[in-house]
Amino acid sequence: MAGQLGWLAMPAGPASLTVLIDGTEDLLAAWWRELDRAALEKLIGVWRAVLDHPEFAGADPEFRAACRDRAALALCWHASEIGDLEEIEVARRHLELALGETGRLGADLRYHLGLLFYNRAVVRGSEQDAQAAVTRLRGVLVDLPFDEDRLRPRCMDVLSRSLVWLHGHGSENVDLDEAVDLARDALVDLASASPYRDAVRVMLASALRARYRTSGRPADMAEAIGLLEATSAPRVFLGARSYGHSLHGMLLRERYARTGDETDLHRSLESHERAVAEAPEGCRSWLLALNNQANAFQAVYSLRGDVAYLRRALTVLRIVVEATDPADRSYAARLNNLGNSLSSAYEETKDRAYLDQSIDLYAKALEITSPTDAELSSRHLDLARSLTARHAARGRRKDYKDAVRHLRIACLTGLDRSPERTLDASSVWGAWASSRRAWKEAVEAYSFGVQVIEALSARQRNRPGGETWPRTAQAVPARAAYALVQAGRVEDAVLVQERARAALLDEEVPHRAGTPVLDLDAIYRAAGDRVLVYLGATEAGGFALIVDPAARKVRPVELPAVTGDAVRVRADLLANAYRAKDGDAATWLGAVDAVARWAHDAVLDRVVRRLPRDTGHCVLIPSGRLALLPLHAARGPGGRLVLDEVVLGYAPAARALRPDAAGTRVFAGALVVDDPQPVSAPPLPWSSTERVAAARMAERTTLLTGSDAMRTRVLGELASHGLVHLSCRGLGRGDAPLDSALLMAYDEPLTLRDLVELDVPARPRLIVLPACESFPGGDGAPEEVVGLPAGLLQAGCQGVLASQWAVSSLTSALVVAAFYKRCATGSHPAAALCGVQREFRGLTNADLAAALKPDRAHVTFGLSPADARPLWRAVRRRDPQAMPFAHATEWAAFAYTGG
């Protein structure tokens, strides 16, 4: 076992002492492999007998140093297990004496002193001790040869642990990247057969988890889980084995919190059960494993409402709290965990005794929580939740004041150390204040959430790999704006919507087009001669913020029917009906009709009534799942359409707009990708019409069709063309925007990530995607959806015409050709599309055939006789009285986004 720990061989000593030492190997193995505390205490007794033996003083100095070293380590392990600082001090004296007696063991002794200071930091909760450990361990690493592979990896492992501990206990300027790199290097440097590799593997996973909890990078979580699942053989060291299972369970539970995948929660329970089973009852590892298992039980209860899991959590946590020494650093956390379960028991039973007990435990936990503890914000929030519940039950003014005080502290203390906790506290406080219509208080609460979003956005721009934020963040801008509207601060509401939504967009798709809009003047300038309408939905109702650049005013409009639930129902209705439309076309038609009527009655009718007189062009900036709905299809009584009164376009934020936006009669260059082949998707039989129409918009055209339309070729051509027309299948991924893709030849996906990473100085001014499904929603869609058009604008494009859902190739060809014809006369793309939609809705097939006659097709479609003839023949074969564009499922598929 000594060799497995990386220790040097024991030097020769007196025979009488060697006899005593012979049994230490088995005792050492019993401790490391089984966490047998009795064996460890016997080991300490052996080394005490050796050091007190009359012949010890006359033994070889190297032998004495080795004995002191091993005695010190045994004392250090025991002190860490029972929290005895006196034993650590005795161990330190042994190591310092040993350093004066040896040269051969010098590096090992200095490493063990660093390890001792790390353990003392854990027992005492001392940042000073942890810093001392870091200093000593760095010194050892500097002196060791770079290729030394016995002591060096162990030293890097403990240095990594020390840095992670410092970070978790509030120390500033700790580089978690260094902690991860140290643990990773230690793993690489250790011999492949070394059982210590598994202990280091667990610690690397711990460092990755710490970095994940700070940055939110999903790659860190995935790597940590992978490391813990990589070893199928049992780990030699029981402590690492038990902690590895607990850590695996915690990571799975955290991933569940992000994804909602119940499989992770069940696997988390299994890992926690293994952790408890591995650890000997009563030891420190057992209590830690029990505590984590109880947290998992609580999580399952929260998910399913199964009271049996709540009872199990309460039972286990009571055992843990009773068995934990109040002087133990973990005591506060365990009190808090029991408080959580008692609070849940109150919600389940309404027995106020549970609530009072939870408040007492939370308060006691806070009293002994260090001001630098990473969980400080969370504990203030937990106490505040119970205080709000007691205020609701008893109406005591003191509970209200205390709850507000703790919520404010929770927000403040989490800003730098625990941003997710600040988001949670902000949301809880804001919702509570809103329910009481205390709008000034709600504004203060949500302002903390907005600060976190902006801070995380700035952090992401400086970090490779990006971050993933909790879904809590996605609802904050709309809630904050709603509270500001209610408080009469409508201009601030616009700024919150613009800035916070821009930050959320940046989190999903890095922005390449310039700096975010930061003030109201900049928003007015970006609007140009267009009226902007920010739209949001909350639990309490929705709002519109009409930004009038001419009058330099903001007009609020309350939308009481636009609740979060109402929007979610409509988005799910559309998504479910669309998935089933091939077998149930009537339901798809009915769903679009229903959403169009709701969009009119609940949203746009109220907005249009408040628009400035003579508004010609309105840009909708919907947030959340409102972005999934075809608001431009809003239809009122008698079939009246909002689109008939005003041009409607979309933008993800005002910064996506150009103040001098206007139509472009001719582009210098056009890239036209026409029906890439071979692909697994159905062909686009009328894409050749689109190709011709697009080519007429440019002085020069690069055409890539069939097998020439390869991903690399298209990427290489993008930057040199102002117009990019892509007649190919495409799919937006609201759940993973960077994976939204267009299908190139040989089924190669051209993803949004490819475009974002494209290192070119210029981006297309207009992209046309007539055959895409760019706004998929439904199950799994996040609250804040980034569709393919919005993603392309984030990537630097200026405007995107895209189909939200698939339509026939003939429909697409007719709309696109007419769109380009109107653009060629100088119309803004949004106005050009709106004009086509207005005109086509009332046309019969006979009307279309007349417009497509070869000698007249240039008027509406800009097509030559030869290009128009196939379309004309196809339309003539249809029922002449049928109106192919009468229903919104055909014309409303197309929308324009951007400037």
Side-chain angles (χ1 to χ4, degrees), residues 793-815:
L793 265 65
Q794 283 287 107
C797 305
Q798 293 181 10
V800 181
L801 170 67
S803 54
Q804 293 176 280
W805 54 79
V807 294
S808 73
S809 181
L810 180 59
T811 294
S812 176
L814 293 171
V815 170

Side-chain angles (χ1 to χ4, degrees), residues 113 146 191 290 310 361 390 414 468 480 513 597 618 631 692 696 703 765 787 804 809 885:
L113 266 173
F146 187 75
L290 271 180
L310 177 58
L361 286 171
R390 193 162 73 180
T468 295
R597 288 195 300 272
C618 183
L631 299 174
V692 170
R696 291 181 182 277
L703 175 63
R765 292 171 57 191
Q804 293 176 280
S809 181
F885 289 95

Side-chain angles (χ1 to χ4, degrees), residues 552-879:
R552 300 181 70 79
K553 288 184 178 179
V554 178
R555 299 172 183 165
V557 181
E558 290 199 41
L559 307 173
V562 185
T563 63
D565 285 343
V567 174
R568 194 173 299 110
V569 166
R570 271 76 188 180
D572 290 346
L573 173 67
L574 274 182
N576 295 332
Y578 183 66
R579 280 196 290 265
K581 73 181 179 67
D582 291 339
D584 188 1
T587 297
W588 169 234
L589 294 171
V592 174
D593 264 342
V595 171
R597 288 195 300 272
W598 180 85
H600 176 274
D601 297 344
V603 186
L604 287 181
D605 183 50
R606 291 173 172 267
V607 170
V608 170
R609 293 173 188 271
R610 297 294 306 278
L611 288 176
R613 185 175 298 178
D614 300 325
T615 296
H617 188 163
C618 183
V619 178
L620 305 179
I621 305 177
S623 62
R625 294 193 180 191
L626 277 168
L628 289 170
L629 304 183
L631 299 174
H632 61 289
R635 181 168 64 86
R640 185 177 64 87
L641 296 174
V642 173
L643 200 66
D644 292 332
E645 302 176 35
V646 61
V647 171
L648 293 177
Y650 295 92
R655 71 174 182 185
L657 303 172
R658 292 181 300 127
D660 59 344
T664 301
R665 294 174 183 270
V666 178
F667 291 88
L671 170 63
V672 179
V673 176
D674 179 21
D675 199 15
Q677 294 293 333
V679 294
S680 55
L684 301 169
W686 294 101
S687 63
S688 59
T689 299
E690 300 173 14
R691 176 182 72 201
V692 170
R696 291 181 182 277
M697 289 292 296
E699 296 174 355
R700 59 178 176 81
T701 300
T702 300
L703 175 63
L704 299 177
T705 186
S707 61
D708 288 335
M710 298 177 65
R711 172 182 167 276
T712 53
R713 184 92 183 271
V714 173
L715 275 173
E717 295 285 352
L718 276 172
S720 55
H721 299 84
L723 169 64
V724 175
H725 181 101
L726 300 165
S727 290
C728 57
R729 301 293 181 181
L731 180 66
R733 287 281 305 276
D735 60 330
L738 287 173
D739 293 331
S740 297
L742 304 165
L743 197 59
M744 298 293 110
Y746 303 100
D747 279 339
E748 285 190 301
L750 174 62
T751 66
L752 186 56
R753 180 179 284 102
D754 294 329
L755 298 177
V756 170
E757 295 175 353
L758 194 62
D759 187 15
V760 293
R763 303 284 167 139
R765 292 171 57 191
L766 175 62
I767 292 183
V768 178
L769 307 170
C772 289
E773 297 169 272
S774 61
F775 287 95
D779 296 338
E783 193 65 32
E784 190 64 52
V785 179
V786 181
L788 183 54
L792 288 168
L793 265 65
Q794 283 287 107
C797 305
Q798 293 181 10
V800 181
L801 170 67
S803 54
Q804 293 176 280
W805 54 79
V807 294
S808 73
S809 181
L810 180 59
T811 294
S812 176
L814 293 171
V815 170
V816 167
F819 166 77
Y820 280 134
K821 171 62 178 176
R822 287 176 178 266
C823 286
T825 65
S827 292
H828 185 280
L833 177 62
C834 180
V836 172
Q837 291 169 325
R838 289 170 179 169
E839 179 182 1
F840 277 23
R841 288 197 328 273
L843 297 181
T844 64
N845 281 323
D847 296 328
L848 285 169
L852 283 165
K853 284 187 70 173
D855 60 344
R856 297 181 58 190
H858 65 283
V859 176
T860 300
F861 298 97
L863 298 175
S864 69
D867 295 324
R869 189 168 284 107
L871 284 170
W872 175 60
R873 288 172 176 165
V875 172
R876 286 185 65 194
R877 288 194 287 269
R878 296 184 169 191
D879 178 359

Side-chain angles (χ1 to χ4, degrees), residues 85 88-89 92 113-137 162 165-166:
L85 287 172
I88 289 183
E89 287 307 302
R92 184 175 64 84
L113 266 173
L115 176 62
L116 179 143
F117 275 100
Y118 164 72
N119 283 318
R120 192 166 76 170
V122 173
V123 173
R124 294 177 59 194
S126 166
E127 182 178 337
Q128 183 178 359
D129 284 337
Q131 292 288 6
V134 168
T135 300
R136 290 175 180 274
L137 293 165
S162 302
W165 188 93
L166 280 167

Side-chain angles (χ1 to χ4, degrees), residues 450 453 473-482 496-497 500-501 504 543 784:
V450 173
I453 291 172
Q474 298 176 345
V476 166
R479 291 172 179 169
Y482 185 83
V496 163
Q497 278 289 88
R501 289 202 68 250
L504 289 172
F543 61 88
E784 190 64 52

